[in-house]
């Protein structure tokens, strides 16, 4: 929507040139949908499984896109944004956990960062499509770019039909043969179901589930408990790192995938927050002078900002909850973290235009202070270093 809304174009004419406040609502209402989808996943995700939730997410996004692309009234447009957001909330809550339960811990950071790469490609496609169609007259100028996002949702749904459910979920639902088949497929082509490594991993998963189930059916109050497993601390880490992500000052993406498992989460978060704080500080100083030359320097800071964001605070918060939470509370932790993330996105999207209009370049000082605070939080509060390896050493099973 960022390439469509706010310009003097066909979209503005069709919706009576929405003012700045209404533009913010049109953009941010999507995040409310995402938050609602994440909250719904928090409640029913474990019951339905990762695959079913991702299929539901893709299907919901297709429906939402159809509503959006055919919009003739503001109400229909807002409804389409909410429905599309709900679908994305399902996906953002379940895809990281799905990947975490299907890939080896040593590859988890790389694969999750590649998810960020795909997002970058999607952004590039959207921006260039918006730019190209800005030279076209008529409703197709905005309807086609909005409708085109359904293409990727359709690809997601078709892809998920061929992909398996996670072995842990299958074992949890007592689908033993299906779990063996998935583990054999993950081990390699033509691997027999009774292969020693397949049986070994299966036994680890069963042992892990047995230990987790020793306390009886899951109760939500477990999320607030300390004790040996420190569930509340894990939830705080999962939620906190997502809050920090959004208050770094941007949702834009860059990444260094191989660094994820080489340097550890903690070091990358520290480097990322320090670099982002520096970028915002320099941008504030440059913009405060009000000169053209300084504005060019501030623009350069934007590119440097993307690098530091991609090093840590773009990819890590999305898969961090699936690493620090025990498997018993993983789906709940991932969904809750996703919910908080989207609510923070909504907050930032709402307050940033107002802040820019009222205090100008001083807005960047606010985000510089936030990033300086995140450095202290990571150091003092003990965000886990090498979370994937730490979880692997403390837990049994996938």
């Amino acid at each position: 929507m960022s390439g469509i809304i706010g310009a003097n174009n066909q979209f503005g004419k069709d919706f009576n040139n929405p003012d700045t406040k209404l533009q913010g609502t049109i953009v941010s209402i999507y995040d409310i949908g995402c938050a609602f989808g994440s909250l719904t996943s928090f409640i029913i995700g474990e019951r339905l499984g990762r695959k079913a939730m991702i299929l539901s997410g893709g299907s919901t996004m297709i429906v939402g896109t159809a509503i959006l692309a055919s919009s003739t009234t503001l109400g229909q447009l807002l409804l389409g944004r909410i429905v599309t957001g709900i679908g994305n909330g399902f996906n953002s809550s379940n895809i990281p956990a799905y990947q975490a339960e299907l890939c080896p811990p040593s590859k988890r950071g790389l694969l999750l960062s590649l998810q960020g790469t795909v997002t970058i490609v999607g952004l590039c496609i959207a921006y260039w499509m918006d730019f190209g169609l800005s030279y076209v007259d008529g409703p197709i100028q905005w309807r086609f770019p909005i409708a085109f996002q359904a293409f990727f949702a359709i690809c997601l749904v078709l892809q998920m039909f061929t992909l398996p459910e996670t072995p842990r979920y299958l074992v949890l639902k007592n689908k033993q043969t299906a779990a063996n088949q998935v583990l054999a497929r993950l081990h390699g082509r033509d691997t027999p179901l009774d292969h020693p490594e397949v049986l070994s991993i299966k036994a680890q998963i069963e042992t892990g589930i047995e230990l987790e189930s020793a306390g009886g059916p899951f109760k939500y109050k477990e999320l607030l408990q300390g004790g040996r497993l420190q569930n509340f601390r894990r939830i705080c880490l999962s939620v906190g790192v997502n809050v920090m992500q959004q208050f770094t000052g941007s949702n834009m993406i860059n990444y260094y995938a191989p660094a994820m498992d080489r340097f550890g989460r903690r070091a990358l978060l520290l480097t990322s927050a320090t670099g982002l704080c520096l970028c915002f500080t320099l941008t504030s100083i440059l913009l405060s002078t009000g000169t053209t030359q300084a504005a060019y320097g501030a623009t350069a800071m934007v590119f440097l900002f993307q690098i530091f964001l991609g090093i840590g605070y773009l990819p890590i918060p999305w898969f961090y909850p699936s690493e620090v939470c025990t498997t018993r509370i993983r789906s709940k932790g991932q969904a809750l973290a996703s919910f908080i993330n989207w609510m923070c996105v909504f907050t930032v999207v709402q307050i940033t235009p107002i802040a820019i209009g009222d205090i100008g370049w001083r807005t960047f000082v606010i985000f510089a202070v936030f990033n300086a605070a995140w450095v202290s939080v990571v150091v003092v509060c003990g965000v886990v270093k090498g979370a994937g390896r730490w979880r692997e050493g403390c837990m049994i099973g996938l």
Side-chain angles (χ1 to χ4, degrees), residues 129-145:
M129 183 176 292
D130 288 345
F131 176 73
L133 287 171
S134 67
Y135 293 98
V136 178
D137 294 326
I140 193 175
Q141 186 184 83
W142 64 270
R143 292 189 188 275
F144 182 78

Side-chain angles (χ1 to χ4, degrees), residues 59-110:
S59 301
T60 304
M61 292 190 74
I62 294 170
V63 173
T65 301
I67 296 172
L68 276 172
S70 62
S71 294
T72 56
T73 65
L74 179 61
Q76 182 179 350
L77 182 73
L78 294 176
L79 176 63
R81 292 285 287 169
I82 293 172
V83 173
T84 308
I86 291 172
N88 196 34
F90 289 166
N91 292 336
S92 62
S93 298
N94 289 278
I95 289 177
Y98 181 80
Q99 291 177 310
E101 293 181 359
L102 283 176
C103 70
S106 61
K107 301 294 184 182
R108 193 171 294 139
L110 173 62

Side-chain angles (χ1 to χ4, degrees), residues 56-211:
S56 298
S59 301
T60 304
M61 292 190 74
I62 294 170
V63 173
T65 301
I67 296 172
L68 276 172
S70 62
S71 294
T72 56
T73 65
L74 179 61
Q76 182 179 350
L77 182 73
L78 294 176
L79 176 63
R81 292 285 287 169
I82 293 172
V83 173
T84 308
I86 291 172
N88 196 34
F90 289 166
N91 292 336
S92 62
S93 298
N94 289 278
I95 289 177
Y98 181 80
Q99 291 177 310
E101 293 181 359
L102 283 176
C103 70
S106 61
K107 301 294 184 182
R108 193 171 294 139
L110 173 62
L111 293 177
L112 267 295
S113 295
L114 288 176
Q115 182 178 321
T117 307
V118 174
T119 306
I120 297 173
V121 173
L123 285 171
C124 291
I125 293 173
Y127 291 152
W128 281 106
M129 183 176 292
D130 288 345
F131 176 73
L133 287 171
S134 67
Y135 293 98
V136 178
D137 294 326
I140 193 175
Q141 186 184 83
W142 64 270
R143 292 189 188 275
F144 182 78
I146 288 178
F148 188 70
Q149 63 184 307
F151 170 77
F152 299 102
I154 292 170
C155 289
L156 173 64
V157 171
L158 294 178
Q159 173 185 255
M160 285 307 301
F161 275 122
T162 65
L163 293 177
E165 182 55 86
T166 66
R168 180 185 177 276
Y169 178 80
L170 294 172
V171 172
L172 189 64
K173 297 301 179 181
N174 201 30
K175 298 180 180 179
Q176 306 298 336
T177 301
N180 285 350
Q181 291 172 342
V182 173
L183 288 170
R185 288 172 61 186
L186 291 173
H187 185 267
R189 186 174 298 178
D190 300 326
T191 300
L193 300 185
D194 58 352
H195 189 279
E197 187 165 344
V198 171
L199 297 178
S200 174
I201 296 175
K202 171 81 172 305
Q204 291 178 31
I205 295 173
E206 291 173 335
T207 302
I209 291 175
E210 183 179 346
L211 290 173

